[in-house]
PDB file of all heavy atoms in Angstrom:
ATOM      1  N   ALA A   9       3.335  12.319  11.294  1.00 94.00           N
ATOM      2  CA  ALA A   9       4.160  11.070  11.196  1.00 94.00           C
ATOM      3  C   ALA A   9       3.225   9.987  10.427  1.00 94.00           C
ATOM      4  O   ALA A   9       3.662   9.342   9.456  1.00 94.00           O
ATOM      5  CB  ALA A   9       4.493  10.491  12.455  1.00 94.00           C
ATOM      6  N   VAL A  10       1.965   9.892  10.821  1.00 94.00           N
ATOM      7  CA  VAL A  10       1.112   8.877  10.324  1.00 94.00           C
ATOM      8  C   VAL A  10       0.733   9.334   8.960  1.00 94.00           C
ATOM      9  O   VAL A  10       0.504   8.461   7.982  1.00 94.00           O
ATOM     10  CB  VAL A  10      -0.147   8.629  11.234  1.00 94.00           C
ATOM     11  CG1 VAL A  10      -1.088   9.729  11.270  1.00 94.00           C
ATOM     12  CG2 VAL A  10      -0.863   7.415  10.879  1.00 94.00           C
ATOM     13  N   VAL A  11       0.491  10.616   8.745  1.00 92.00           N
ATOM     14  CA  VAL A  11       0.117  11.051   7.268  1.00 92.00           C
ATOM     15  C   VAL A  11       1.179  10.860   6.221  1.00 92.00           C
ATOM     16  O   VAL A  11       1.065  10.313   5.258  1.00 92.00           O
ATOM     17  CB  VAL A  11      -0.239  12.630   7.427  1.00 92.00           C
ATOM     18  CG1 VAL A  11      -0.313  13.160   5.992  1.00 92.00           C
ATOM     19  CG2 VAL A  11      -1.611  12.896   8.076  1.00 92.00           C
ATOM     20  N   VAL A  12       2.485  11.170   6.709  1.00 94.00           N
ATOM     21  CA  VAL A  12       3.755  10.939   5.866  1.00 94.00           C
ATOM     22  C   VAL A  12       3.761   9.380   5.589  1.00 94.00           C
ATOM     23  O   VAL A  12       4.128   8.912   4.430  1.00 94.00           O
ATOM     24  CB  VAL A  12       4.908  11.561   6.419  1.00 94.00           C
ATOM     25  CG1 VAL A  12       6.131  11.139   5.589  1.00 94.00           C
ATOM     26  CG2 VAL A  12       4.876  13.065   6.360  1.00 94.00           C
ATOM     27  N   CYS A  13       3.700   8.613   6.683  1.00 95.00           N
ATOM     28  CA  CYS A  13       3.825   7.182   6.534  1.00 95.00           C
ATOM     29  C   CYS A  13       2.704   6.637   5.494  1.00 95.00           C
ATOM     30  O   CYS A  13       3.025   5.771   4.618  1.00 95.00           O
ATOM     31  CB  CYS A  13       3.813   6.671   7.802  1.00 95.00           C
ATOM     32  SG  CYS A  13       4.109   4.756   7.801  1.00 95.00           S
ATOM     33  N   GLY A  14       1.559   7.144   5.695  1.00 93.00           N
ATOM     34  CA  GLY A  14       0.406   6.666   4.890  1.00 93.00           C
ATOM     35  C   GLY A  14       0.686   6.989   3.378  1.00 93.00           C
ATOM     36  O   GLY A  14       0.445   6.248   2.451  1.00 93.00           O
ATOM     37  N   LEU A  15       1.086   8.252   3.114  1.00 92.00           N
ATOM     38  CA  LEU A  15       1.367   8.746   1.793  1.00 92.00           C
ATOM     39  C   LEU A  15       2.510   7.908   1.097  1.00 92.00           C
ATOM     40  O   LEU A  15       2.368   7.584   0.057  1.00 92.00           O
ATOM     41  CB  LEU A  15       1.720  10.153   1.761  1.00 92.00           C
ATOM     42  CG  LEU A  15       0.718  11.251   1.960  1.00 92.00           C
ATOM     43  CD1 LEU A  15       1.347  12.710   2.225  1.00 92.00           C
ATOM     44  CD2 LEU A  15      -0.334  11.344   0.932  1.00 92.00           C
ATOM     45  N   TYR A  16       3.503   7.683   1.941  1.00 93.00           N
ATOM     46  CA  TYR A  16       4.707   6.898   1.414  1.00 93.00           C
ATOM     47  C   TYR A  16       4.336   5.483   1.088  1.00 93.00           C
ATOM     48  O   TYR A  16       4.625   4.896  -0.058  1.00 93.00           O
ATOM     49  CB  TYR A  16       5.839   6.945   2.456  1.00 93.00           C
ATOM     50  CG  TYR A  16       7.100   6.132   2.025  1.00 93.00           C
ATOM     51  CD1 TYR A  16       8.011   6.727   1.134  1.00 93.00           C
ATOM     52  CD2 TYR A  16       7.227   4.854   2.368  1.00 93.00           C
ATOM     53  CE1 TYR A  16       9.127   6.104   0.681  1.00 93.00           C
ATOM     54  CE2 TYR A  16       8.415   4.134   2.074  1.00 93.00           C
ATOM     55  CZ  TYR A  16       9.326   4.793   1.174  1.00 93.00           C
ATOM     56  OH  TYR A  16      10.368   4.056   0.777  1.00 93.00           O
ATOM     57  N   LEU A  17       3.727   4.779   1.938  1.00 92.00           N
ATOM     58  CA  LEU A  17       3.361   3.437   1.726  1.00 92.00           C
ATOM     59  C   LEU A  17       2.316   3.367   0.598  1.00 92.00           C
ATOM     60  O   LEU A  17       2.327   2.280  -0.055  1.00 92.00           O
ATOM     61  CB  LEU A  17       2.727   2.810   3.021  1.00 92.00           C
ATOM     62  CG  LEU A  17       3.886   2.575   4.113  1.00 92.00           C
ATOM     63  CD1 LEU A  17       3.160   2.010   5.306  1.00 92.00           C
ATOM     64  CD2 LEU A  17       4.931   1.661   3.705  1.00 92.00           C
ATOM     65  N   SER A  18       1.404   4.249   0.629  1.00 89.00           N
ATOM     66  CA  SER A  18       0.462   4.183  -0.597  1.00 89.00           C
ATOM     67  C   SER A  18       1.127   4.247  -1.837  1.00 89.00           C
ATOM     68  O   SER A  18       0.814   3.591  -2.905  1.00 89.00           O
ATOM     69  CB  SER A  18      -0.664   5.271  -0.386  1.00 89.00           C
ATOM     70  OG  SER A  18      -1.389   5.424  -1.606  1.00 89.00           O
ATOM     71  N   ARG A  19       2.192   5.125  -2.001  1.00 86.00           N
ATOM     72  CA  ARG A  19       2.926   5.233  -3.245  1.00 86.00           C
ATOM     73  C   ARG A  19       3.668   3.999  -3.499  1.00 86.00           C
ATOM     74  O   ARG A  19       3.846   3.617  -4.701  1.00 86.00           O
ATOM     75  CB  ARG A  19       3.829   6.461  -3.050  1.00 86.00           C
ATOM     76  CG  ARG A  19       4.591   6.839  -4.255  1.00 86.00           C
ATOM     77  CD  ARG A  19       3.768   7.670  -5.219  1.00 86.00           C
ATOM     78  NE  ARG A  19       4.433   8.289  -6.220  1.00 86.00           N
ATOM     79  CZ  ARG A  19       4.020   9.021  -7.296  1.00 86.00           C
ATOM     80  NH1 ARG A  19       2.653   9.283  -7.262  1.00 86.00           N
ATOM     81  NH2 ARG A  19       4.663   9.518  -8.205  1.00 86.00           N
ATOM     82  N   LYS A  20       4.179   3.339  -2.494  1.00 87.00           N
ATOM     83  CA  LYS A  20       5.186   2.135  -2.702  1.00 87.00           C
ATOM     84  C   LYS A  20       4.349   0.879  -2.778  1.00 87.00           C
ATOM     85  O   LYS A  20       4.975  -0.188  -3.045  1.00 87.00           O
ATOM     86  CB  LYS A  20       6.044   2.045  -1.530  1.00 87.00           C
ATOM     87  CG  LYS A  20       7.116   3.099  -1.598  1.00 87.00           C
ATOM     88  CD  LYS A  20       8.022   3.038  -2.767  1.00 87.00           C
ATOM     89  CE  LYS A  20       9.227   4.136  -2.734  1.00 87.00           C
ATOM     90  NZ  LYS A  20      10.147   3.954  -3.966  1.00 87.00           N
ATOM     91  N   SER A  21       3.054   0.805  -2.347  1.00 85.00           N
ATOM     92  CA  SER A  21       2.321  -0.431  -2.205  1.00 85.00           C
ATOM     93  C   SER A  21       2.244  -1.251  -3.583  1.00 85.00           C
ATOM     94  O   SER A  21       2.092  -2.403  -3.502  1.00 85.00           O
ATOM     95  CB  SER A  21       0.867  -0.058  -1.744  1.00 85.00           C
ATOM     96  OG  SER A  21       0.194   0.691  -2.680  1.00 85.00           O
ATOM     97  N   ALA A  22       2.408  -0.574  -4.609  1.00 78.00           N
ATOM     98  CA  ALA A  22       2.290  -1.264  -6.007  1.00 78.00           C
ATOM     99  C   ALA A  22       3.449  -2.181  -6.134  1.00 78.00           C
ATOM    100  O   ALA A  22       3.445  -3.181  -6.851  1.00 78.00           O
ATOM    101  CB  ALA A  22       2.238  -0.270  -7.088  1.00 78.00           C
ATOM    102  N   THR A  23       4.585  -1.936  -5.482  1.00 81.00           N
ATOM    103  CA  THR A  23       5.645  -2.733  -5.520  1.00 81.00           C
ATOM    104  C   THR A  23       5.785  -3.935  -4.599  1.00 81.00           C
ATOM    105  O   THR A  23       6.531  -4.846  -4.767  1.00 81.00           O
ATOM    106  CB  THR A  23       6.975  -1.852  -5.270  1.00 81.00           C
ATOM    107  OG1 THR A  23       7.115  -1.399  -4.013  1.00 81.00           O
ATOM    108  CG2 THR A  23       7.072  -0.776  -6.315  1.00 81.00           C
ATOM    109  N   PHE A  24       4.990  -3.861  -3.519  1.00 83.00           N
ATOM    110  CA  PHE A  24       5.017  -5.050  -2.552  1.00 83.00           C
ATOM    111  C   PHE A  24       3.732  -5.623  -2.225  1.00 83.00           C
ATOM    112  O   PHE A  24       3.777  -6.693  -1.623  1.00 83.00           O
ATOM    113  CB  PHE A  24       5.676  -4.516  -1.227  1.00 83.00           C
ATOM    114  CG  PHE A  24       5.027  -3.372  -0.528  1.00 83.00           C
ATOM    115  CD1 PHE A  24       3.841  -3.515   0.129  1.00 83.00           C
ATOM    116  CD2 PHE A  24       5.597  -2.152  -0.471  1.00 83.00           C
ATOM    117  CE1 PHE A  24       3.158  -2.597   0.892  1.00 83.00           C
ATOM    118  CE2 PHE A  24       4.949  -1.077   0.198  1.00 83.00           C
ATOM    119  CZ  PHE A  24       3.810  -1.254   0.918  1.00 83.00           C
ATOM    120  N   PHE A  25       2.627  -5.119  -2.622  1.00 82.00           N
ATOM    121  CA  PHE A  25       1.264  -5.790  -2.556  1.00 82.00           C
ATOM    122  C   PHE A  25       1.014  -6.636  -3.804  1.00 82.00           C
ATOM    123  O   PHE A  25       1.009  -6.124  -4.976  1.00 82.00           O
ATOM    124  CB  PHE A  25       0.169  -4.783  -2.266  1.00 82.00           C
ATOM    125  CG  PHE A  25       0.015  -4.347  -0.979  1.00 82.00           C
ATOM    126  CD1 PHE A  25      -1.006  -3.398  -0.616  1.00 82.00           C
ATOM    127  CD2 PHE A  25       0.568  -5.017   0.109  1.00 82.00           C
ATOM    128  CE1 PHE A  25      -1.274  -3.077   0.686  1.00 82.00           C
ATOM    129  CE2 PHE A  25       0.367  -4.601   1.559  1.00 82.00           C
ATOM    130  CZ  PHE A  25      -0.587  -3.591   1.775  1.00 82.00           C
ATOM    131  N   SER A  26       0.670  -7.903  -3.541  1.00 81.00           N
ATOM    132  CA  SER A  26       0.209  -8.791  -4.695  1.00 81.00           C
ATOM    133  C   SER A  26      -1.257  -8.321  -4.909  1.00 81.00           C
ATOM    134  O   SER A  26      -1.928  -7.806  -4.116  1.00 81.00           O
ATOM    135  CB  SER A  26       0.378 -10.199  -4.292  1.00 81.00           C
ATOM    136  OG  SER A  26      -0.520 -10.582  -3.276  1.00 81.00           O
ATOM    137  N   PRO A  27      -1.831  -8.728  -6.097  1.00 77.00           N
ATOM    138  CA  PRO A  27      -3.285  -8.285  -6.383  1.00 77.00           C
ATOM    139  C   PRO A  27      -4.087  -8.940  -5.431  1.00 77.00           C
ATOM    140  O   PRO A  27      -5.091  -8.185  -4.937  1.00 77.00           O
ATOM    141  CB  PRO A  27      -3.500  -8.897  -7.713  1.00 77.00           C
ATOM    142  CG  PRO A  27      -2.051  -9.049  -8.424  1.00 77.00           C
ATOM    143  CD  PRO A  27      -1.117  -9.180  -7.290  1.00 77.00           C
ATOM    144  N   THR A  28      -3.931 -10.156  -4.867  1.00 80.00           N
ATOM    145  CA  THR A  28      -4.833 -10.711  -3.794  1.00 80.00           C
ATOM    146  C   THR A  28      -4.754  -9.954  -2.580  1.00 80.00           C
ATOM    147  O   THR A  28      -5.814  -9.706  -2.049  1.00 80.00           O
ATOM    148  CB  THR A  28      -4.485 -12.280  -3.818  1.00 80.00           C
ATOM    149  OG1 THR A  28      -4.491 -13.049  -4.989  1.00 80.00           O
ATOM    150  CG2 THR A  28      -5.318 -12.824  -2.708  1.00 80.00           C
ATOM    151  N   VAL A  29      -3.566  -9.768  -2.174  1.00 84.00           N
ATOM    152  CA  VAL A  29      -3.448  -8.965  -0.898  1.00 84.00           C
ATOM    153  C   VAL A  29      -4.034  -7.557  -0.837  1.00 84.00           C
ATOM    154  O   VAL A  29      -4.518  -7.058  -0.001  1.00 84.00           O
ATOM    155  CB  VAL A  29      -2.005  -8.870  -0.426  1.00 84.00           C
ATOM    156  CG1 VAL A  29      -1.684  -7.919   0.648  1.00 84.00           C
ATOM    157  CG2 VAL A  29      -1.398 -10.257  -0.170  1.00 84.00           C
ATOM    158  N   ARG A  30      -3.781  -6.902  -2.065  1.00 84.00           N
ATOM    159  CA  ARG A  30      -4.374  -5.619  -2.297  1.00 84.00           C
ATOM    160  C   ARG A  30      -5.901  -5.487  -2.141  1.00 84.00           C
ATOM    161  O   ARG A  30      -6.473  -4.696  -1.456  1.00 84.00           O
ATOM    162  CB  ARG A  30      -3.968  -4.974  -3.572  1.00 84.00           C
ATOM    163  CG  ARG A  30      -4.332  -3.544  -3.802  1.00 84.00           C
ATOM    164  CD  ARG A  30      -3.912  -2.910  -5.082  1.00 84.00           C
ATOM    165  NE  ARG A  30      -2.393  -2.983  -5.121  1.00 84.00           N
ATOM    166  CZ  ARG A  30      -1.645  -3.720  -5.941  1.00 84.00           C
ATOM    167  NH1 ARG A  30      -2.206  -4.701  -6.561  1.00 84.00           N
ATOM    168  NH2 ARG A  30      -0.319  -3.609  -5.852  1.00 84.00           N
ATOM    169  N   LEU A  31      -6.480  -6.395  -2.795  1.00 82.00           N
ATOM    170  CA  LEU A  31      -8.055  -6.509  -2.730  1.00 82.00           C
ATOM    171  C   LEU A  31      -8.508  -6.790  -1.271  1.00 82.00           C
ATOM    172  O   LEU A  31      -9.469  -6.216  -0.866  1.00 82.00           O
ATOM    173  CB  LEU A  31      -8.531  -7.612  -3.637  1.00 82.00           C
ATOM    174  CG  LEU A  31      -8.482  -7.448  -5.104  1.00 82.00           C
ATOM    175  CD1 LEU A  31      -8.715  -8.751  -5.962  1.00 82.00           C
ATOM    176  CD2 LEU A  31      -9.298  -6.261  -5.604  1.00 82.00           C
ATOM    177  N   GLN A  32      -7.848  -7.806  -0.513  1.00 86.00           N
ATOM    178  CA  GLN A  32      -8.161  -8.061   0.830  1.00 86.00           C
ATOM    179  C   GLN A  32      -7.936  -6.933   1.729  1.00 86.00           C
ATOM    180  O   GLN A  32      -8.801  -6.564   2.531  1.00 86.00           O
ATOM    181  CB  GLN A  32      -7.226  -9.269   1.314  1.00 86.00           C
ATOM    182  CG  GLN A  32      -7.547 -10.644   0.623  1.00 86.00           C
ATOM    183  CD  GLN A  32      -6.690 -11.718   1.100  1.00 86.00           C
ATOM    184  OE1 GLN A  32      -5.498 -11.413   1.490  1.00 86.00           O
ATOM    185  NE2 GLN A  32      -7.195 -12.898   1.183  1.00 86.00           N
ATOM    186  N   THR A  33      -6.756  -6.198   1.627  1.00 89.00           N
ATOM    187  CA  THR A  33      -6.534  -5.102   2.411  1.00 89.00           C
ATOM    188  C   THR A  33      -7.445  -4.002   2.252  1.00 89.00           C
ATOM    189  O   THR A  33      -7.919  -3.284   3.247  1.00 89.00           O
ATOM    190  CB  THR A  33      -5.136  -4.576   2.084  1.00 89.00           C
ATOM    191  OG1 THR A  33      -4.144  -5.704   2.363  1.00 89.00           O
ATOM    192  CG2 THR A  33      -4.691  -3.351   3.167  1.00 89.00           C
ATOM    193  N   MET A  34      -7.810  -3.668   0.999  1.00 87.00           N
ATOM    194  CA  MET A  34      -8.652  -2.575   0.699  1.00 87.00           C
ATOM    195  C   MET A  34     -10.080  -2.715   1.227  1.00 87.00           C
ATOM    196  O   MET A  34     -10.703  -1.937   1.816  1.00 87.00           O
ATOM    197  CB  MET A  34      -8.746  -2.278  -0.872  1.00 87.00           C
ATOM    198  CG  MET A  34      -7.521  -1.702  -1.443  1.00 87.00           C
ATOM    199  SD  MET A  34      -7.004  -0.180  -0.681  1.00 87.00           S
ATOM    200  CE  MET A  34      -5.703  -0.847   0.398  1.00 87.00           C
ATOM    201  N   ALA A  35     -10.466  -4.073   1.174  1.00 88.00           N
ATOM    202  CA  ALA A  35     -11.926  -4.450   1.682  1.00 88.00           C
ATOM    203  C   ALA A  35     -11.849  -4.282   3.135  1.00 88.00           C
ATOM    204  O   ALA A  35     -12.842  -3.783   3.706  1.00 88.00           O
ATOM    205  CB  ALA A  35     -12.122  -5.828   1.308  1.00 88.00           C
TER     206      ALA A  35
END
């Protein structure tokens, strides 16, 4: 469940993460 959820959200993150949020989240 957590692996599938991580794979799915990683694929979709380009559509809902703004650049600023993406940098903060990855850090």
